[in-house]
Amino acid sequence: MSTERITHLVGGTPWTGVSERTSKVYNPATGEVTGELDLASAATVDEVVKVAHDASKAWGRTSLTKRAQVLFAFRQLLNERKEDIAARITAEHGKVLSDALGEVTRGLEVVEFACGIPHLMKGGFSENVSTNVDVYSIRQPLGTVAVISPFNFPAMVPLWFVPIAVACGNSVVIKPSEKDPSAVNAVAALWKEAGLPDGVMNVVHGDKEAVDRLLEHPDIKAVSFVGSTPIARYVYEKGTSNGKRVQALGGAKNHMVVLPDADLDLAADAAVNAGFGSAGERCMAISALIAVEPVADDLVGKIRERMATLKTGDGTRGCDMGPLVTGPHRDKVVGYVEAGVEAGAELTVDGREGPFDGGDDGFWLGPTLFDKVTPDMSIYTDEIFGPVLSVVRVSSYDAALDLVNSNPYGNGTAIFTNDGGAARRYQTEVEVGMVGVNVPIPVPMAYYSFGGWKNSLFGDTHAHGTEGVHFFTRGKVVTQRWLDPSHGGINLGFPHNT
């Protein structure tokens, strides 16, 4: 079959240059090559950034009313075309269509939040702080910002950042994952259709060369990143060393604690949903289930029953779970399964066995369940980023809390219990940025901010919500004195200075 050329979008139009380097884009359900992606050189990045930088000046001076109008138009277009965006995600990422559609819908929530930019950009005002002196605060755009987004949510993660950055008056250069780049291009085209001026939203595709140039370029004022912890640390350190504001969201090892009084049917449903949705390729996936005895046997049995009903296959065929994103990533996750067996964990459900409803060359691994995992095993310590759920058995709440708090990651966690006191204690004592109580994936609504603690976040600002607005703007305080009209020449006014 013929392959599609996928290239950068500069000033709202496809790049017309010739790329010295390209990479292949695959359909994970068949293993077929579907696209040839242009990889940007440093010079190409410079070309894109110049266009964005030039556009940022006029856009930053555009009224809040006009910016909001563009956001509302974009929101309508994205809602109308969300099925097309979801299909592109499934074709290149592999997640099932319903999951892909849900991803776009969650991104829409951030767009709707950004539509309120006139309210979100309001400053403060203090009158007469000294005689005839007023003080007020304003927030202004940074200029040109960069977004570096991961493969696992090719539409939602960009939508965490771009709508707010644009609404705040910035221009944007986004570098999506080279594994599934088409969704970002399609969304960028909607910005143009919504009336966003050319150059405000730009897409540059690439690998480390493009990333490094964005982190070094003097006209890039801020960088938003989501990815693995080692790369997040690298982006943060390199970006800040070049004088940039950086929010770098890293990896996770999310724990779900199940107390003895929990509703085990609810907990089992949640464990399956949070462990195997999107094939476990999400930073909020539950990969470690901490069962506080004596519930482990019953809980594992209920999880196994539910796993037996899951169908793994092509995301367009009504399956529950799709393939992994690439062959090398599938092989890496299979390596963890093998390591878990060698370490002595009990492989309760082996996802390597199939069957799989898809192409023979697809990147398959079904839902996998380990029991009696210990904290020294790699399947517990490492972020696997695949459909592998590990059950660790502990004797008490305190032992469960110690496990969670001793972990180097602090992204998301959940506790399942019917004891309000225990839940309240957990949400207070746990050292994690996002907490769910009987909610397995505690991703906040757009008007709250998303982000973790410890090695799950580098920088001090989370994504979207009020923190997102603050990240993409700078505060300025103005102190002013105006002379009373009586100080100037002719004055027909009635008031007298007293």
Side-chain angles (χ1 to χ4, degrees):
M1 61 180 293
S2 61
T3 59
E4 175 189 6
R5 182 197 179 195
I6 306 168
T7 195
H8 326 296
L9 294 180
V10 189
T13 59
W15 184 64
T16 57
V18 178
S19 182
E20 296 179 356
R21 298 181 302 123
T22 63
S23 67
K24 299 183 186 304
V25 178
Y26 294 88
N27 180 337
T30 64
E32 294 176 312
V33 176
T34 58
E36 196 77 21
L37 178 70
D38 288 338
L39 300 178
S41 64
T44 303
V45 173
D46 289 348
E47 176 186 342
V48 177
V49 173
K50 183 182 186 307
V51 171
H53 177 66
D54 291 345
S56 69
K57 301 169 187 177
W59 181 244
R61 294 190 296 268
T62 300
S63 71
L64 289 171
T65 299
K66 176 61 178 175
R67 289 189 230 157
Q69 289 171 351
V70 172
L71 265 291
F72 274 103
F74 173 73
R75 184 259 174 203
Q76 181 176 346
L77 288 169
L78 184 59
N79 190 50
E80 291 172 354
R81 315 279 176 80
K82 59 187 177 183
E83 286 82 7
D84 173 65
I85 305 296
R88 292 172 183 268
I89 294 169
T90 295
E92 293 181 350
H93 175 277
K95 66 177 66 177
V96 300
L97 274 171
S98 60
D99 194 14
L101 188 60
E103 168 184 344
V104 181
T105 301
R106 289 308 300 265
L108 263 167
E109 294 172 2
V110 182
V111 180
E112 291 164 354
F113 170 76
C115 285
I117 196 62
H119 173 75
L120 298 169
M121 291 281 280
K122 286 195 304 185
F125 189 96
S126 296
E127 184 182 33
N128 221 38
V129 296
S130 186
T131 303
N132 294 329
V133 176
D134 306 323
V135 177
Y136 62 93
S137 63
I138 58 178
R139 302 205 68 85
Q140 296 181 313
L142 303 177
T144 303
V145 302
V147 176
I148 304 169
S149 61
F151 76 83
N152 59 324
F153 287 100
M156 185 183 74
V157 169
L159 289 170
W160 282 354
F161 304 111
V162 175
I164 298 175
V166 167
C168 288
N170 302 284
S171 64
V172 178
V173 177
I174 182 168
K175 193 214 83 68
S177 170
E178 57 271 36
K179 296 180 178 67
D180 44 13
S182 293
V184 161
N185 276 21
V187 172
L190 298 184
W191 280 111
K192 182 178 177 68
E193 190 175 343
L196 189 69
D198 289 348
V200 178
M201 171 61 178
N202 307 272
V203 183
V204 60
H205 298 286
D207 50 14
K208 187 176 185 297
E209 181 176 348
V211 169
D212 283 344
R213 185 56 187 149
L214 289 171
L215 296 175
E216 295 165 355
H217 200 293
D219 288 336
I220 297 293
K221 302 304 180 185
V223 178
S224 300
F225 171 87
V226 176
S228 69
T229 285
I231 306 302
R233 181 183 287 111
Y234 173 83
V235 167
Y236 177 76
E237 292 175 351
K238 189 173 182 66
T240 53
S241 70
N242 282 282
K244 304 186 189 314
R245 182 181 293 187
V246 180
Q247 52 180 179
L249 282 66
K253 194 70 180 181
N254 301 318
H255 296 72
M256 174 174 151
V257 175
V258 181
L259 298 187
D261 69 316
D263 181 324
L264 295 189
D265 287 315
L266 176 66
D269 288 340
V272 172
N273 294 337
F276 307 123
S278 199
E281 294 174 321
R282 54 188 179 195
C283 64
M284 290 299 288
I286 292 296
S287 55
L289 192 156
I290 312 301
V292 180
E293 294 291 25
V295 302
D297 284 342
D298 287 346
L299 182 58
V300 169
K302 291 177 180 294
I303 292 172
R304 287 186 63 183
E305 290 173 3
R306 287 157 173 78
M307 290 176 67
T309 68
L310 298 180
K311 181 180 178 183
T312 302
D314 190 317
T316 64
R317 300 183 183 180
C319 297
D320 300 294
M321 194 184 89
L324 297 186
V325 67
T326 65
H329 183 59
R330 183 268 317 277
D331 295 343
K332 179 181 177 182
V333 177
V334 169
Y336 275 108
V337 176
E338 294 167 350
V341 173
E342 292 173 4
E346 185 177 299
L347 183 56
T348 304
V349 179
D350 189 347
R352 297 170 296 181
E353 297 176 347
F356 307 116
D357 183 14
D360 292 339
D361 295 324
F363 311 136
W364 304 113
L365 176 67
T368 299
L369 177 66
F370 279 104
D371 191 10
K372 300 175 182 175
V373 175
T374 57
D376 59 323
M377 297 177 180
S378 64
I379 54 173
Y380 174 79
T381 60
D382 296 358
E383 183 184 28
I384 298 174
F385 224 61
V388 180
L389 178 63
S390 297
V391 177
V392 181
R393 300 174 178 229
V394 298
S395 60
S396 66
Y397 165 88
D398 288 330
L401 181 69
D402 288 345
L403 263 183
V404 179
N405 284 350
S406 63
N407 195 273
Y409 297 108
N411 202 47
T413 187
I415 185 168
F416 278 73
T417 178
N418 285 314
D419 185 334
R424 192 170 191 277
R425 179 182 171 189
Y426 186 75
Q427 72 183 42
T428 301
E429 296 177 335
V430 73
E431 297 172 5
V432 174
M434 293 173 283
V435 182
V437 176
N438 297 321
V439 174
I441 305 178
V443 177
M445 296 297 290
Y447 36 84
Y448 285 89
S449 296
F450 178 101
W453 290 9
K454 299 189 282 190
N455 283 349
S456 294
L457 176 71
F458 297 87
D460 57 2
T461 306
H462 294 151
H464 58 70
T466 303
E467 291 187 57
V469 175
H470 285 184
F471 181 79
F472 289 117
T473 56
R474 290 182 291 187
K476 182 180 286 185
V477 177
V478 180
T479 303
Q480 68 177 14
R481 173 190 288 129
W482 294 105
L483 295 179
D484 187 274
S486 64
H487 288 271
I490 297 173
N491 182 0
L492 302 182
F494 175 73
H496 293 272
N497 192 29
T498 56

